């Protein structure tokens, strides 16, 4: 009798242990359990920890509630300004309703992946190349909104979307490099022109100051000579006074000096009228005529020729 009781107790314990092992389930901290009883989902979602289900009747499906990082394959498209680009992105999402993620969609991961690829191609077609390269924050927000709108009905929340890389054709890269180089060259020329303008204004002010004090220009010349002499080279500097050049220039451009006036006689002294000899112009001077020596043909000689002839006659005599 006792043996039969012990046998029955052992059988019951074995059946209880088998049932417990078949019904026992463990849900992790980052998971939630959705129970299907005879094909119908139970409204109560099992939380983390130890839980029991009816073996053969209930079926427990675990849903990961962590944030999922899903890379979006690179999508090739044409932008609004007709440039072919290749863009890839990454999507961060998580499940907020475990029941909807299991019941509303067959595979929420695949659904989010396809929606992300479709939305990325749509964003490429609606955007310009400059927006893809410099205004990514706005595009990321638009892409997140496009993916999150249908994903809400699936019990999925899109945390954020980031565009990773934008690949351009080689010809477009070279064109953009030339454009950037031309823009930098234009800015450099504008800066140089602005510097020349400022320098010309300062030089004009310096010229006005030096024009008031002519000696300042001479001092500036001497300063330049000192600066050049400080360099150890073979340059020869010959300074020429600027004031002397100005004096010569005024002497050439100035009018002829008038004759000094004749002093008037003192009062009470009678003045005599000029005589005819004084009024007549002076007679032109004639060259002296040399006298020929005796025995020499008396030919008139004038000037140096007569003197040389008389010297020859004296030697012959």
């Amino acid at each position: 009798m006792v043996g039969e009781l012990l046998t029955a107790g052992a059988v019951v314990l074995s059946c209880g242990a088998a049932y417990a092992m078949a019904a026992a389930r463990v849900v992790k901290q980052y998971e939630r359990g959705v129970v299907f009883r005879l094909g119908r989902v139970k409204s109560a979602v099992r939380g983390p920890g130890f839980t029991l289900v009816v073996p053969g009747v209930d079926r427990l499906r675990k849903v990961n509630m962590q944030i999922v990082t899903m890379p979006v394959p690179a999508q090739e498209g044409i932008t609004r300004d007709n440039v072919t680009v290749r863009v890839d992105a990454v999507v961060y999402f998580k499940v907020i309703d475990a029941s909807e993620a299991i019941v509303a969609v067959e595979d929420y991961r695949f659904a989010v992946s396809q929606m992300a690829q479709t939305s990325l191609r749509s964003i490429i077609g609606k955007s310009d190349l400059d927006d893809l390269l410099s205004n990514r924050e706005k595009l990321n927000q638009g892409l997140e909104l496009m993916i999150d709108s249908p994903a809400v009905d699936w019990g999925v929340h899109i945390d954020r979307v980031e565009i990773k890389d934008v690949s351009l054709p080689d010809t477009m890269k070279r064109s953009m490099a030339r454009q950037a180089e031309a823009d930098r060259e234009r800015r450099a020329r504008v800066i140089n022109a602005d510097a020349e303008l400022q320098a010309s204004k300062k030089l004009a002010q310096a010229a006005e100051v030096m024009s008031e004090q002519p000696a300042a220009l001479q001092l500036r010349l001497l300063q330049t000579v000192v600066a050049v002499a400080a360099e150890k080279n073979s340059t020869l500097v010959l300074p020429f006074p600027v004031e002397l050049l100005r004096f010569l220039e005024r002497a050439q451009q100035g009018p002829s000096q008038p004759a000094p006036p004749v002093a008037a006689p003192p009062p009470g002294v009678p003045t005599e009228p000029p005589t005819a000899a004084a009024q007549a112009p002076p007679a032109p001077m004639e060259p002296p005529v040399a006298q020929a020596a005796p025995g020499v043909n008396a030919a008139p000689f004038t000037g140096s020729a007569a003197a040389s002839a008389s010297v020859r006659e004296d030697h012959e005599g």
Side-chain angles (χ1 to χ4, degrees):
M1 185 68 182
V2 176
E4 294 178 358
L5 291 176
L6 291 176
T7 303
V11 172
V12 170
L13 290 176
S14 299
C15 292
Y19 179 83
M21 292 179 62
R25 297 289 187 273
V26 176
V27 180
K28 297 180 182 180
Q29 181 66 36
Y30 54 84
E31 294 177 340
R32 296 296 181 268
V34 180
V35 178
F36 290 87
R37 179 165 294 174
L38 299 177
R40 297 190 62 179
V41 63
K42 293 181 66 68
S43 60
V45 177
R46 305 295 176 90
F50 181 79
T51 185
L52 294 173
V53 296
V54 179
V57 178
D58 294 343
R59 186 167 59 91
L60 180 67
R61 291 193 60 178
K62 300 176 183 179
V63 180
N64 193 337
M65 306 296 289
Q66 292 177 315
I67 295 178
V68 180
T69 303
M70 176 180 293
V72 180
Q75 303 298 313
E76 187 172 355
I78 300 177
T79 61
R80 190 166 57 181
D81 50 355
N82 298 325
V83 179
T84 303
V85 295
R86 188 178 181 86
V87 183
D88 56 352
V90 59
V91 180
Y92 301 89
F93 67 95
K94 64 179 179 179
V95 177
I96 58 177
D97 191 345
S99 299
E100 292 294 333
I102 297 298
V103 176
V105 62
E106 179 181 3
D107 186 355
Y108 66 90
R109 290 175 179 266
F110 181 75
V112 171
S113 176
Q114 295 299 315
M115 179 57 65
Q117 296 180 34
T118 306
S119 301
L120 183 58
R121 285 194 294 269
S122 178
I123 284 292
I124 293 174
K126 295 179 180 178
S127 305
D128 295 332
L129 179 61
D130 294 338
D131 295 335
L132 289 175
L133 297 177
S134 61
N135 196 10
R136 292 191 181 182
E137 291 295 332
K138 184 178 178 180
L139 296 180
N140 292 337
Q141 294 176 2
L143 188 58
E144 177 183 347
L145 183 61
M146 293 178 65
I147 302 175
D148 191 56
S149 297
V152 172
D153 298 333
W154 306 336
V156 177
H157 171 66
I158 305 299
D159 190 67
R160 63 184 305 174
V161 181
E162 293 287 342
I163 295 177
K164 293 173 58 178
D165 188 23
V166 178
S167 300
L168 300 175
D170 294 338
T171 55
M172 180 57 64
K173 292 180 181 179
R174 289 193 293 268
S175 299
M176 294 176 66
R178 289 195 298 268
Q179 179 183 1
E181 183 179 358
D183 184 62
R184 288 185 181 137
E185 185 177 357
R186 179 185 62 83
R187 285 185 292 176
R189 291 183 178 180
V190 170
I191 293 173
N192 290 335
D194 191 13
E196 293 291 340
L197 178 61
Q198 295 179 5
S200 63
K201 291 181 180 179
K202 295 298 181 181
L203 289 176
Q205 295 176 3
E208 292 179 0
V209 174
M210 288 184 179
S211 63
E212 297 176 358
Q213 297 293 336
L217 186 59
Q218 184 67 21
L219 294 176
R220 181 57 185 162
L221 177 61
L222 296 178
Q223 290 178 357
T224 305
V225 172
V226 172
V228 173
E231 300 292 336
K232 295 181 180 180
N233 51 24
S234 59
T235 303
L236 181 60
V237 180
L238 298 177
F240 194 83
V242 180
E243 296 297 325
L244 181 58
L245 293 176
R246 293 182 177 177
F247 175 76
L248 295 176
E249 184 179 359
R250 286 196 300 266
Q252 292 178 358
Q253 295 180 357
S256 58
Q257 298 293 334
V262 180
V269 179
T271 57
E272 297 179 358
T275 60
Q279 294 181 357
M285 297 180 62
E286 296 181 356
V289 179
Q291 298 294 331
V296 178
N297 187 12
F301 294 92
T302 60
S304 60
S308 59
S310 61
V311 172
R312 286 198 302 269
E313 290 299 330
D314 292 339
H315 283 291
E316 291 175 359

